[in-house]
Amino acid sequence: MHNYKLFDIHTHIWPDRLAPAACRNLGAFYNFPIEGEGTVSDLTESSLKNGVSGVLMLSVATNAKQVPAVNAGAAAAVDAMREAGLNAYAFAGFHQDCVNADEIVENAVSLGLSGFKLHPDIQGADIDDERFFPLYRECESRGLPLYFHMGDCRPQYRFSEIRRLIRIKEKFPALVTVAAHLGSYTAWEDSYMLKDIPNTLYDTSSALWAMSAGRAGELIHMLGVSRCMFGTDYPVKTADTEIALFEALELTDEERRRIAYDNAAAFLKF
């Protein structure tokens, strides 16, 4: 067992009745195997068994009507995981067809949700689509962070190219953002563009298995150890798999502690 604290900054779950189909669809969409079951109970068990003290659960809404139920479910999942002993948090979902961003943000805050997550590949919208701007404006003014799925080299899924994140930061400079998958899931040739983007953090989810440990270490140091956080992308990967990959990185003890836990604690303020 590792001898440092771990917080998993990137996880997903669904209601038990929907989780099997959601996992199958996710695996088919990205053409990779799914290790976890995608349920609150499985995430909780996997995390605690592997010494993960807490998780951030990220919501995804595939249509506007779904948003209220998705966000209420996220809040309920947090309660269940905390009862089981996990230091759990969740980000709300939002869809580009929502027309009441202020109400959705207010509701998310009232539910105890800590920010918002967008998954442009699944939602079918560019992250710099102006339909998202009311959400960005609300989050910037309230100090709420935005979490983006980032990067995809497939021609039909260019919704989260790094240039789009740069455009967002030019329009909303105070907006705190997290670029998942070390900022460029499979589009690694563009990673150099991430170096100087302000107010932006990164996670290791769905990245460590896609490159060598040496390349991952280089990328983490380029982005800045203080800006990177450990994540599994559960249920894509489970904690045991990702911890083994994380352990293979050439990091100092202090760097490993910061990425594994301290940066997430500072980000979520726990």
Side-chain angles (χ1 to χ4, degrees):
M1 180 69 74
H2 50 85
N3 60 355
Y4 48 86
K5 289 184 178 180
L6 261 176
F7 187 94
D8 187 348
I9 201 70
H10 193 136
T11 70
H12 305 279
I13 57 92
W14 296 270
D16 289 3
R17 62 186 175 82
L18 301 178
C23 287
R24 286 195 301 271
N25 292 339
L26 182 64
F29 187 84
Y30 282 109
N31 191 31
F32 52 40
I34 304 298
E35 291 187 355
E37 297 177 8
T39 62
V40 168
S41 60
D42 186 58
L43 172 58
T44 302
E45 180 181 351
S46 172
S47 298
L48 293 175
K49 181 175 68 175
N50 288 285
V52 176
S53 63
V55 301
L56 174 62
M57 196 278 289
L58 302 171
S59 306
V60 177
T62 57
N63 61 65
K65 292 182 180 179
Q66 196 181 67
V67 169
V70 164
N71 293 345
V78 166
D79 290 342
M81 288 187 282
R82 286 182 175 176
E83 281 190 22
L86 271 181
N87 183 27
Y89 297 81
F91 275 19
F94 185 88
H95 192 270
Q96 63 270 18
D97 293 334
C98 293
V99 295
N100 54 336
D102 55 341
E103 295 176 12
I104 291 171
V105 172
E106 183 63 37
N107 179 253
V109 170
S110 72
L111 289 170
L113 305 180
S114 304
F116 280 82
K117 165 69 187 293
L118 298 179
H119 198 304
D121 290 2
I122 291 175
Q123 294 181 221
D126 298 328
I127 58 173
D128 59 346
D129 188 316
E130 293 188 3
R131 290 176 292 176
F132 288 125
F133 286 6
L135 173 67
Y136 299 166
R137 195 171 297 114
E138 284 287 326
C139 287
E140 185 181 46
S141 67
R142 291 171 175 259
L144 293 172
L146 256 294
Y147 216 118
F148 296 112
H149 166 87
M150 286 292 298
D152 196 320
C153 63
R154 294 178 292 178
Q156 69 272 40
Y157 296 108
R158 294 289 187 175
F159 303 117
S160 57
E161 292 175 301
I162 296 169
R163 63 183 177 86
R164 300 188 187 280
L165 178 60
I166 292 171
R167 179 179 179 231
I168 292 169
K169 301 315 288 273
E170 288 171 347
K171 290 182 175 294
F172 304 95
L175 182 65
V176 175
T177 52
V178 183
H181 320 313
L182 290 180
S184 46
Y185 169 75
T186 71
W188 309 116
E189 70 279 2
D190 294 331
S191 297
Y192 71 94
M193 298 170 63
L194 295 163
K195 184 176 181 181
D196 298 317
I197 299 178
N199 295 325
T200 301
L201 302 169
Y202 305 92
D203 75 33
T204 65
S205 72
S206 286
L208 302 185
W209 53 260
M211 64 182 76
S212 69
R215 175 68 180 113
E218 290 174 359
L219 186 50
I220 286 169
H221 284 105
M222 184 200 76
L223 296 172
V225 167
S226 64
R227 300 205 293 169
C228 294
M229 300 178 286
F230 173 83
T232 63
D233 207 2
Y234 175 92
V236 176
K237 300 294 182 183
T238 50
D240 53 341
T241 298
E242 287 299 302
I243 291 169
L245 293 171
F246 184 60
E247 285 283 311
L249 300 179
E250 291 189 9
L251 301 169
T252 67
D253 290 345
E254 180 183 356
E255 288 173 337
R256 202 174 303 278
R257 285 194 300 269
R258 293 179 75 175
I259 296 168
Y261 186 88
D262 293 350
N263 294 340
F267 171 57
L268 292 173
K269 301 178 174 62
F270 59 78

